[in-house]
């Protein structure tokens, strides 16, 4: 049998329009893998599925776990962990928190890797037990930074002057005019503020100007973490990409 790490979380239906929540596993190896007794665990350390005995996943194949209910996973954000005994094989945190790596999907849509076993995207059309929906996924941003303004320097959020906050997001070469760029700022609490702006096809930098003066007063003094992601017109979103840290003073 192939090493356990060849099997990964591949698609997650966290908020079904009908039926139960489901988690798909994918075997990216060239060998059959026995996953008997493996478990799927959510953030509260609750086992939500145990793989039955004598269960294998074929090379390049899938296993779909029906979690048995429609709402064991939190729609707005949760942690899904695949375990082999006490060993964590794979995990994904989704939602708005700083710990999350991707936003939660809309109802009826899934979190999925594109291509199978690859990078995570949110908002896919469910394709459990088969190759993930992959047409038209957006290009991820490559970085972001708080833009210098009239009363603040680059990467500084000045509360005293109540300077408006804008963020420059560097977008991928494949960005489209219909894509939406979102920037989020977190402090140590963390507070969360968001702003969006439509991107431009071929543009290398998009300024997110939806972040306004209220951000400066809401964030605590100290380091502010900046992250961004891109959503296309089909509602598919990339994972979060870390930007340059800022200082709130």
């Amino acid at each position: 049998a192939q090493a356990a790490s060849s099997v990964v979380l591949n698609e997650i239906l966290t908020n079904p329009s009908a039926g139960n929540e489901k988690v798909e596993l994918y075997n990216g190896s060239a060998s059959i893998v026995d996953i008997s007794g493996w478990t799927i665990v959510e953030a509260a350390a609750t086992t939500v599925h145990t793989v039955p005995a004598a269960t294998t996943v074929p090379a390049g194949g899938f296993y779909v776990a029906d979690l048995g209910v429609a709402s064991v996973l939190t729609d707005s954000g949760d942690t899904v962990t695949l375990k082999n005994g006490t060993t964590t094989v794979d995990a994904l945190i989704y939602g708005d928190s700083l710990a999350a790596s991707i936003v939660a999907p809309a109802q009826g849509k899934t979190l999925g890797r594109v291509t199978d076993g690859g990078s995570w995207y949110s908002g896919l059309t469910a394709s459990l037990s088969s190759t993930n929906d992959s047409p038209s996924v957006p290009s991820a941003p490559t970085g972001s930074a708080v833009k210098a303004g009239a009363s603040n320097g680059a990467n500084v959020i000045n509360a005293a002057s109540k300077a408006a906050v804008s963020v420059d997001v560097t977008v991928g070469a494949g960005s489209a005019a219909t894509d939406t760029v979102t920037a989020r700022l977190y402090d140590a609490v963390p507070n969360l503020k968001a702003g969006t702006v439509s991107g431009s096809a071929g543009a290398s930098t998009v300024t997110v100007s939806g972040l306004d003066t209220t951000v400066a007063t809401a964030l605590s003094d100290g380091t502010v973490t900046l992250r961004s992601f891109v959503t296309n017109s089909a509602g598919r979103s990339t994972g979060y990409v870390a930007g340059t840290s800022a200082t709130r003073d």
Side-chain angles (χ1 to χ4, degrees):
Q2 185 73 18
S5 58
S6 64
V7 175
V8 296
L9 297 167
N10 196 58
E11 187 176 15
I12 306 172
L13 178 61
T14 65
N15 185 10
S17 299
N20 297 333
E21 295 169 335
K22 295 180 174 65
V23 176
E24 177 190 81
L25 309 183
Y26 170 67
N27 176 11
S29 78
S31 302
I32 295 172
V33 177
D34 189 334
I35 59 169
S36 302
W38 289 23
T39 56
I40 296 171
V41 180
E42 60 98 36
T46 301
T47 297
V48 295
H49 181 81
T50 300
V51 178
T55 299
T56 59
V57 186
F62 306 93
Y63 170 82
V64 176
D66 187 321
L67 303 191
V69 294
S71 59
V72 67
L73 300 176
T74 303
D75 296 342
S76 60
D78 211 329
T79 302
V80 180
T81 303
L82 175 64
K83 304 191 84 171
N84 178 8
T86 59
T87 300
T88 295
V89 178
D90 195 13
L92 178 70
I93 304 175
Y94 64 92
D96 294 336
S97 72
L98 185 55
S101 59
I102 195 165
V103 295
Q107 186 176 36
K109 298 296 184 179
T110 66
L111 299 159
R113 294 181 184 268
V114 178
T115 54
D116 294 320
S119 299
W120 283 102
Y121 290 85
S122 182
L124 301 186
T125 299
S127 56
L128 298 153
S129 296
S130 61
T131 297
N132 283 347
D133 166 42
S134 61
S136 185
V137 291
S139 297
T142 58
S144 53
V146 172
K147 189 176 184 178
S151 304
N152 61 287
N155 302 317
V156 174
I157 300 170
N158 191 323
S161 65
K162 299 187 183 301
V165 179
S166 294
V167 175
D168 280 343
V169 180
T170 306
V171 296
S175 64
T178 52
D179 288 350
T180 299
V181 177
T182 300
R184 288 183 169 171
L185 285 79
Y186 304 76
D187 62 15
V189 175
N191 288 309
L192 166 65
K193 296 293 173 180
T196 63
V197 68
S198 294
S200 300
S204 58
T205 302
V206 175
T207 298
V208 179
S209 56
L211 299 164
D212 60 24
T213 58
T214 60
V215 175
T217 55
L219 294 168
S220 302
D221 285 348
T223 301
V224 174
T225 300
L226 177 61
R227 303 197 298 172
S228 61
F229 63 95
V230 175
T231 305
N232 68 12
S233 59
R236 301 181 179 102
S237 298
T238 69
Y240 293 113
V241 175
T244 302
S245 296
T247 301
R248 192 272 197 187
D249 62 13

